[in-house]
Amino acid sequence: MEQYPQLQSVKISQLYLDTTYCDPAHAFPPQQEVIQTAVSIATKAVFANPDTLIVCGTYTIGKERLFTAIADALDCKVCVRREKKHILDCLEDSHIDKLLTLKWKEARVHVLPMGQLNYQNLYDHLNQFRPTYNHLLAFEPTGWTHSKKTLALTNLKPRINDLNGITLYGIPYSEHSSYTELKQFVRFIRPEQILPTVNNGSAESRHKMQLLFKSWLSKDGSGDTRQTALNNWLNRT
């Protein structure tokens, strides 16, 4: 976003910040690096075993960049359920439209609801497509999978590792900005005030975020006075 001409030399008075991951523990890697890692895992799996089916978890919206990148790398179709396709059609994206199908057997990449990414559901899903496929590789893409054990994507390990043909990776992919990205953006924009929009329901949570905001803006003191005034007001509510 720092490259957007509209944001160059613009003074921001109030910034409504998506603070979903406003915690140093959520300093997961950039989205594009996560996508590249997932693509690498998928292509290696298919190369090692051409009878591998790929599954990508998704919420009502989001994760499109991930499953389309995998499909592009494997030169294959993406199957989604009809309700998901109705939502994706709203994007009016010609590239996504070309990849999509409603017929499971036409696609190597299957998109399933995130809540179905467990061993039993994945095992049952794979069984529907035997003998065409004998192995299923699934990705659960959410920033909540990030942990101190996986600070580097090279340390990424599957949650389920080839159990009766099922492999499941949790990967730190999110449409929300990571802690690192939030910090970088705020320091670039340097708003006079920051209003957190997520995890702001308790005084303790607000106080922690206010301390972070103050530290981000403290380099030259710009905006500190008004941010402090806002912090004082938030502490009273």
Side-chain angles (χ1 to χ4, degrees), residues 98-117:
K98 291 178 182 178
L99 292 175
L100 295 183
T101 178
L102 295 174
K103 298 180 180 180
W104 296 106
K105 293 184 178 180
E106 290 183 356
R108 183 190 288 273
V109 176
H110 292 183
V111 174
L112 297 178
M114 200 79 80
Q116 294 188 9
L117 298 191

Side-chain angles (χ1 to χ4, degrees), residues 5 74 175:
L74 297 176
E175 311 295 351

Side-chain angles (χ1 to χ4, degrees), residues 49-223:
N49 178 4
D51 297 332
T52 296
L53 176 65
I54 309 297
V55 167
C56 182
T58 184
Y59 297 122
T60 303
I61 59 174
K63 319 305 180 186
E64 293 84 14
R65 292 186 183 94
L66 180 63
F67 61 73
T68 56
I70 294 174
D72 286 338
L74 297 176
D75 191 23
C76 67
K77 289 279 191 177
V78 176
C79 186
V80 298
R81 293 176 176 175
R82 190 171 299 278
E83 58 269 24
K84 180 68 175 179
K85 187 175 185 304
H86 288 327
I87 294 170
L88 292 173
D89 287 344
C90 295
L91 297 176
E92 298 182 346
D93 187 311
S94 59
H95 179 60
I96 293 179
D97 291 343
K98 291 178 182 178
L99 292 175
L100 295 183
T101 178
L102 295 174
K103 298 180 180 180
W104 296 106
K105 293 184 178 180
E106 290 183 356
R108 183 190 288 273
V109 176
H110 292 183
V111 174
L112 297 178
M114 200 79 80
Q116 294 188 9
L117 298 191
N118 58 60
Y119 169 74
Q120 190 59 58
N121 285 334
L122 294 174
Y123 182 76
D124 292 343
H125 189 78
L126 175 61
N127 281 341
Q128 297 179 56
F129 305 100
R130 295 182 189 272
T132 303
Y133 298 108
N134 57 32
H135 179 247
L136 185 152
L137 170 63
F139 293 101
E140 181 184 16
T142 170
W144 300 116
T145 64
H146 179 70
S147 71
K148 293 181 179 179
K149 295 181 180 179
T150 57
L151 290 177
L153 291 172
T154 52
N155 296 332
L156 203 61
K157 304 296 182 184
R159 286 172 44 199
I160 302 174
N161 191 7
D162 198 15
L163 177 61
N164 294 322
I166 304 299
T167 298
L168 172 62
Y169 279 88
I171 57 173
Y173 172 102
S174 181
E175 311 295 351
H176 301 278
S177 296
S178 69
Y179 173 81
T180 305
E181 292 165 338
L182 291 174
K183 180 179 178 180
Q184 180 180 346
F185 182 67
V186 166
R187 285 184 165 177
F188 168 70
I189 291 293
R190 304 201 66 79
E192 294 178 352
Q193 297 179 346
I194 304 172
L195 292 93
T197 61
V198 183
N199 300 324
N200 56 6
S202 71
E204 180 182 3
S205 177
R206 293 195 299 271
H207 179 66
K208 288 181 179 179
M209 288 191 285
Q210 291 156 20
L211 292 177
L212 289 173
F213 300 157
K214 187 174 181 180
S215 70
W216 296 350
L217 294 170
S218 64
K219 184 176 181 180
D220 61 8
S222 175

